[in-house]
Amino acid sequence: MAVRILKPKPCALCYPLFSKRLPLSTSTTHSVSQPPTSSSSSPMHIDALISIFTKQPFIPDTPELSQIAPSLTSHLVESILNRFHSWKVAHRFFNWTSTQHGYRHTCYTYNAMASILSRSRQILPLKSLLKDIVQSRCSFPPGALGFLLRCLGTAGLVEEANQVFDEMRVKGLCIPNYYCYNCLLEVLSKSGSVDLMEKRLNEMRRFGWEFDKFTLTPVIQAYCNSRRFEEALGVFNTMQEKGWVDERVWTMLALSFSKCGEVDKAFELVERMEEQRMRINEKTFCVLIHGFAKESRIDKALQLFDKMREAGFTPDVSLFDVLIRGLCRNKETDKALSLISDMKELGIVPDVGILTNLLSSLSDKTMIVRILEEIPEEEDDKTVALIYNAVLNSFAGDGLMDEAYQLLQMMIRSKSGTDADINNFIRVKRLVLPNITSFSIVFDGLLKNGQLDLALSLFHDMQQSACKPNISIYNNLINDLCNSNRLEESFELLTEMKESGVEPTHFTYNSIYGCLCKRKDVSGAINMLKEMRACGHEPWIKHSTCIVKELCDHGRAIEACSFLNSMIQEGFLPDIVSYSPAIGGLIKMQEVDKALNLFRGLCSHGHCPDVVAYNIMIRGLCKANRFAEAENLLDDIVLKGLSPSVVTYNLLIDCWCKNGYVDKAIALLSKMSGEGREPNVITYTTLVDGLCREERPDDAILVWNEMERKGCPPNRIAFMALIHGLCKCGRPITALPYLREMEQKEMKADSFIYIALMSAFLSDLNLTSAFEIFKEMVDSESFPEPHDKNYSIAVDAISRFSNDHQTSSGIQVLREEGKIPTHGF
């Protein structure tokens, strides 16, 4: 919304306009409009009431209270409210005065209570107080209403502030003026309620009020909070033209841009402030630097940091921390080290966090030593170990595992005096014993780097130290041993783990179980299942499926089924995913009945076969020419509440087409579309091939056109199926354009396509067209190899072309060029 600065207009309202801002506190307003009474403000009464209401337990009906009650005045009540330290006591006193005969609250007492509740963030009592204010029909001067609105804004009650503003005006309890509107705009700006703010601005326009800096400042804030920065800058420029932009406005806009990630715009505003010779305070510098760093704009954060120091402010350790952390994250270690030097010049000691961040990004040993020398002597061993862990992390992160290993060895031997042989690696004044984190960092790095044997050596060194391996180190070592097929060593480590009192987890057992499954070690896997059952651990599905699949792939499907039964006997119900490869394995062995029995028996084991299992079974039945049973399974899928997949339909369509039931396949296509399953290119290709097999080329072309109409692009296989089918139906002229379309789409046809086209043209005694196709086949280097069944067809064609006067010369040229066989002719 563009803000227009209006010229003063005569006001038609019956109340004066205020050219200056009214007082913001109740005490100031009170002193202007309501002079205090003399007797009611007796210090004796004030002290007595404070004493009575702060005493525990509070007794509401006492003679002393009854004696003081008639002397209550709004000035006295306001004074007492402002002296209570507890909002609960103040609220109790306020409620008590509300019930006293002859006393009524005024806007000042209401505002005093509202201020207390707002500062204490007591939302529900504050909302209740608002209802009392409106129901009491207590009149509020504009200054008092503005103060109330600000209290509500501080508590985040934006809607309530907007509502009470309207209710006061409608009920005649207050005639809002320019100041009231500015206070309301200030409240609305905190929530970014731009629509409400613009509505109130339009109301001010209708009254003919000219906007000033106090009106437009919250407008800028509202636009910024709503991320409408162009409008915010528009208002800002208008204020600047009027000379209303002060440091607060500049700062507010810069902070808003920073908060919303607009770092460049925020920095530009800072530079413009400098040009205007406006001073940024220390808090603003700190907030902006932290904001820039949060957005990973360390470049701008550093520039602002320099400006802060030039302005005479001394940065604290938290600023150095955020900058060094960002520089380390960006691998700008030279700049980070420069900041460390600045800290030393300023007498600021880098804390552990700063040293840790810096060391985590360094890999140069000389630099590391320099930083380690910065460790204060008074730091305890635990803190120093954290710093050394940062160095280990740095080495590990850069893949320098030899360095990490050597440093850890130095730490291990630091108290034994036996580190002379490795002290040349890095020379430091102080070393500490490693902790469990130190070992974990190096173990993880070694294992990721494929240095399993070195990790095992370190494991033995660790056992000799005071630091004992934890569950994570055992698990990672066992897992890597299993992944390396070093099963025997993993079992040894498992035994050692148990003896040391570390309880193996499901990860430990599943690592070993997985290795046994990969080895197809059925008895070993079953024994591990027994141990897992005793410990209350579940085998992972992927491992159980793996052994079943591996067995079936090696023709051991019967053994795979036996393994699944053993799992059930051990109390583990195999997942349906594990059964699917077993069913497929039996079908591969042509044990279709056994596969069907296993499939049917799934329900008795608490499983309902999924669509993948159904598809495997349907494929097996189709291959065994048991079409009716396959079709029954399709109906069974629907009855079980499952949705047949496109693969399911494609299997049956392929089955019908290959066995001469193409009309059933077309009917299934219609059913498929009716159930919301979009046919894919495989579906259409199968039907095209099936129709051509039945010598229905026109229907095949209709299906092809339907495929293209539905936006399913034909692939290379589809083109070749159609071309080959049309040729088999004696329609080479119809097929040829599809070959040309393939070529336009940069799809290369196989040699059998050229052979089919050539043969079809030869059958039509069209030797010229046949020779053209033959020549294309030769030029595209698609001539059949001698072991290809089409080789003899191509050789016979050469003989025919050689004996025909129209093509013989062309064949002779191809022979001379060495592009076709010459022997045998």
Side-chain angles (χ1 to χ4, degrees), residues 197-266:
M197 181 199 68
E198 291 178 344
K199 174 187 172 185
R200 297 305 182 183
L201 285 172
N202 288 330
E203 289 175 6
M204 295 177 74
R205 280 200 187 92
R206 289 199 297 271
F207 294 146
W209 293 338
E210 182 178 356
F211 299 159
D212 66 6
K213 65 182 288 185
F214 302 109
T215 310
L216 299 184
T217 299
V219 172
I220 290 178
Q221 185 71 67
Y223 281 135
C224 287
N225 289 344
S226 300
R227 301 182 69 88
R228 292 167 62 169
F229 297 116
E230 293 302 321
E231 284 128 310
L233 285 172
V235 178
F236 176 83
N237 292 333
T238 299
M239 291 180 69
Q240 197 169 30
E241 290 171 6
K242 296 290 181 180
W244 295 343
V245 177
D246 56 16
E247 290 178 0
R248 176 174 176 268
V249 176
W250 281 99
T251 301
M252 178 184 68
L253 193 58
L255 290 173
S256 296
F257 278 129
S258 175
K259 184 180 178 182
C260 296
E262 298 286 344
V263 172
D264 291 319
K265 289 182 180 178

Side-chain angles (χ1 to χ4, degrees), residues 356-464:
T356 301
N357 280 316
L358 187 54
L359 288 167
S360 295
S361 65
L362 293 173
S363 55
D364 181 81
K365 288 185 282 189
T366 305
M367 288 295 183
I368 288 173
V369 171
R370 279 180 53 191
I371 300 302
L372 291 176
E373 295 300 328
E374 299 290 335
I375 301 174
E377 292 183 4
E378 63 272 12
E379 290 290 358
D380 57 29
D381 283 358
K382 185 177 180 181
T383 303
V384 177
L386 289 174
I387 297 172
Y388 272 97
N389 287 348
V391 180
L392 293 172
N393 254 324
S394 174
F395 285 144
D398 291 336
L400 303 174
M401 290 316 304
D402 289 339
E403 286 81 351
Y405 179 80
Q406 289 184 64
L407 178 57
L408 185 59
Q409 289 292 343
M410 284 178 62
M411 294 171 70
I412 292 171
R413 304 178 191 182
S414 62
K415 303 299 182 183
S416 64
T418 59
D419 56 344
D421 56 331
I422 58 172
N423 201 34
N424 288 328
F425 164 64
I426 185 169
R427 292 186 177 276
V428 289
K429 294 179 182 178
R430 181 180 177 188
L431 281 166
V432 292
L433 286 172
N435 55 25
I436 191 68
T437 304
S438 315
F439 281 103
S440 295
I441 292 167
V442 178
F443 273 122
D444 290 346
L446 290 172
L447 294 176
K448 286 178 183 176
N449 212 35
Q451 295 174 276
L452 176 56
D453 289 319
L454 192 56
L456 289 170
S457 174
L458 178 61
F459 179 78
H460 294 306
D461 292 340
M462 184 182 187
Q463 289 178 307
Q464 305 304 316

Side-chain angles (χ1 to χ4, degrees), residues 7-272:
K7 294 181 179 179
K9 295 181 181 178
C11 183
L13 301 179
C14 59
Y15 53 90
L17 297 178
F18 291 82
S19 59
K20 297 181 180 179
R21 288 174 68 84
L22 294 181
L24 304 184
S25 69
T26 55
S27 58
T28 309
T29 308
H30 183 252
S31 64
V32 171
S33 57
Q34 180 181 306
T37 59
S38 56
S39 61
S40 63
S41 301
S42 166
M44 183 177 64
H45 286 165
I46 293 174
D47 293 339
L49 286 169
I50 290 174
S51 176
I52 292 168
F53 278 88
T54 53
K55 187 181 297 183
Q56 295 295 333
F58 168 67
I59 303 172
D61 300 321
T62 64
E64 192 174 4
L65 278 178
S66 301
Q67 188 178 5
I68 297 174
S71 303
L72 290 175
T73 65
S74 61
H75 184 73
L76 177 66
V77 172
E78 182 185 4
S79 298
I80 294 172
L81 283 171
N82 288 327
R83 289 180 62 177
F84 285 124
H85 298 297
S86 165
W87 74 267
K88 290 183 178 179
V89 175
H91 197 235
R92 183 191 303 147
F93 172 71
F94 181 86
N95 289 337
W96 174 78
T97 58
S98 302
T99 63
Q100 300 310 302
H101 181 69
Y103 172 78
R104 288 194 63 187
H105 286 301
T106 66
C107 62
Y108 307 108
T109 55
Y110 278 122
N111 274 356
M113 192 67 243
S115 178
I116 292 168
L117 294 174
S118 174
R119 290 196 306 270
S120 304
R121 309 296 293 178
Q122 298 302 316
I123 305 303
L124 290 178
L126 187 53
K127 287 183 177 180
S128 178
L129 182 68
L130 279 183
K131 292 181 182 178
D132 291 344
I133 290 172
V134 176
Q135 290 172 2
S136 70
R137 303 194 66 80
C138 175
S139 62
F140 273 64
L145 177 58
F147 181 85
L148 178 63
L149 293 173
R150 285 186 161 187
C151 289
L152 296 173
T154 301
L157 299 177
V158 177
E159 291 183 11
E160 287 76 6
N162 193 59
Q163 184 178 350
V164 78
F165 181 90
D166 286 332
E167 287 187 2
M168 288 267 191
R169 182 173 57 180
V170 170
K171 293 184 178 181
L173 303 178
C174 180
I175 302 175
N177 68 358
Y178 188 89
Y179 170 71
C180 292
Y181 270 95
N182 281 354
C183 289
L184 182 59
L185 290 175
E186 190 177 311
V187 172
L188 296 176
S189 71
K190 294 178 180 179
S191 67
S193 303
V194 173
D195 292 338
L196 276 177
M197 181 199 68
E198 291 178 344
K199 174 187 172 185
R200 297 305 182 183
L201 285 172
N202 288 330
E203 289 175 6
M204 295 177 74
R205 280 200 187 92
R206 289 199 297 271
F207 294 146
W209 293 338
E210 182 178 356
F211 299 159
D212 66 6
K213 65 182 288 185
F214 302 109
T215 310
L216 299 184
T217 299
V219 172
I220 290 178
Q221 185 71 67
Y223 281 135
C224 287
N225 289 344
S226 300
R227 301 182 69 88
R228 292 167 62 169
F229 297 116
E230 293 302 321
E231 284 128 310
L233 285 172
V235 178
F236 176 83
N237 292 333
T238 299
M239 291 180 69
Q240 197 169 30
E241 290 171 6
K242 296 290 181 180
W244 295 343
V245 177
D246 56 16
E247 290 178 0
R248 176 174 176 268
V249 176
W250 281 99
T251 301
M252 178 184 68
L253 193 58
L255 290 173
S256 296
F257 278 129
S258 175
K259 184 180 178 182
C260 296
E262 298 286 344
V263 172
D264 291 319
K265 289 182 180 178
F267 191 80
E268 181 185 344
L269 283 170
V270 171
E271 291 183 319
R272 288 174 64 182

Side-chain angles (χ1 to χ4, degrees), residues 70 81 304 545 769:
L81 283 171
L304 204 57
T545 304
S769 296

Side-chain angles (χ1 to χ4, degrees), residues 549 595 751 783:
K549 189 174 183 304
S751 62
F783 196 90

Side-chain angles (χ1 to χ4, degrees), residues 222-356:
Y223 281 135
C224 287
N225 289 344
S226 300
R227 301 182 69 88
R228 292 167 62 169
F229 297 116
E230 293 302 321
E231 284 128 310
L233 285 172
V235 178
F236 176 83
N237 292 333
T238 299
M239 291 180 69
Q240 197 169 30
E241 290 171 6
K242 296 290 181 180
W244 295 343
V245 177
D246 56 16
E247 290 178 0
R248 176 174 176 268
V249 176
W250 281 99
T251 301
M252 178 184 68
L253 193 58
L255 290 173
S256 296
F257 278 129
S258 175
K259 184 180 178 182
C260 296
E262 298 286 344
V263 172
D264 291 319
K265 289 182 180 178
F267 191 80
E268 181 185 344
L269 283 170
V270 171
E271 291 183 319
R272 288 174 64 182
M273 285 181 73
E274 289 180 331
E275 292 170 4
Q276 299 287 330
R277 299 186 180 281
M278 290 190 176
R279 182 176 171 83
I280 302 176
N281 62 40
E282 185 176 10
K283 181 180 177 181
T284 302
F285 270 122
C286 292
V287 173
L288 287 174
I289 289 170
H290 278 275
F292 290 2
K294 184 180 177 182
E295 295 297 323
S296 299
R297 292 298 305 275
I298 300 299
D299 55 334
K300 294 297 182 186
L302 283 172
Q303 290 181 49
L304 204 57
F305 181 76
D306 292 337
K307 292 180 183 294
M308 179 181 179
R309 297 185 66 180
E310 288 169 6
F313 297 114
T314 301
D316 61 13
V317 71
S318 68
L319 277 186
F320 280 105
D321 182 33
V322 73
L323 290 171
I324 290 172
R325 192 185 317 129
L327 289 169
C328 291
R329 193 163 45 240
N330 295 343
K331 299 296 182 182
E332 298 179 80
T333 52
D334 290 340
K335 292 181 180 179
L337 288 167
S338 177
L339 284 179
I340 291 288
S341 299
D342 291 345
M343 291 180 73
K344 291 177 68 176
E345 290 177 7
L346 293 171
I348 302 173
V349 179
D351 60 19
V352 175
I354 291 175
L355 293 177
T356 301

